[in-house]
Amino acid sequence: LGCFYLGFHLWLYALLMGYVEVNGEGSVGWSLGAPTWRKKSKIYSAVMNGKELTGYHLAMFFLPLISLFSVFVFDRYWSGEWRLLTGEHVAEFLAWYLMMSVNWDFIWFLTNPFFGLKRFRKGEVHWHRKWIGRVPVDYVGGLVIAAILISVAGLLLGAESGIWLRQAVILGTLLTGTFLTALLGPAIQ
């Protein structure tokens, strides 16, 4: 039950963050119309596939990371039992963060009246420069890194820990939420 709750929580967080960004960025995306500082950074640009660093995105990177990590540290599965923070658990948390981030960005398109699924493609989205078919490279990269982190955590925690089933339930719940968001997207827009 905790895995369903966590998956639902991650989807709800992604939905709210996407909705906040839609209302702040509107039709332009990547905060082009926002009054924020911008900086060319070779490291950030390399990691983020050519995107420029903005004050807005720096804050939006750390806000969910810190708030989700706080819940993770103090009560990992909302069970009331204190658990020591290990490298395996950090890998699992970072995988959740990456899955939620990809979900959050996609929800931005689903709930944005200026984009929607119609404009979710190469050439329409200036900040996603590289695509693999109909999917931005950033999404593929985030999910591949999440899978690697889960694999490492699974190998270190052992198969008996149930990590594989937990991740499948969490990811399935996130995907179900995303599907519902796609159905409700026009109403949310």
Side-chain angles (χ1 to χ4, degrees), residues 2-8 10-11 95-96 98-103 139 142-144 146-147 150 163-179:
C3 295
F4 287 110
Y5 178 75
L6 180 58
F8 176 77
L10 291 173
W11 166 75
W96 297 340
L98 288 170
M99 290 187 296
M100 186 276 304
S101 295
V102 168
N103 193 257
Y139 291 13
L143 295 176
V144 165
I150 292 300
I163 190 171
W164 309 108
L165 180 59
R166 281 196 314 272
Q167 301 318 310
V169 170
I170 291 165
L171 183 58
T173 306
L174 252 174
L175 292 174
T176 301
T178 303
F179 178 73

Side-chain angles (χ1 to χ4, degrees), residues 11 56 64 108 150 158 184 189:
W11 166 75
Y56 173 78
W108 185 93
I150 292 300
L184 297 173
Q189 292 174 359

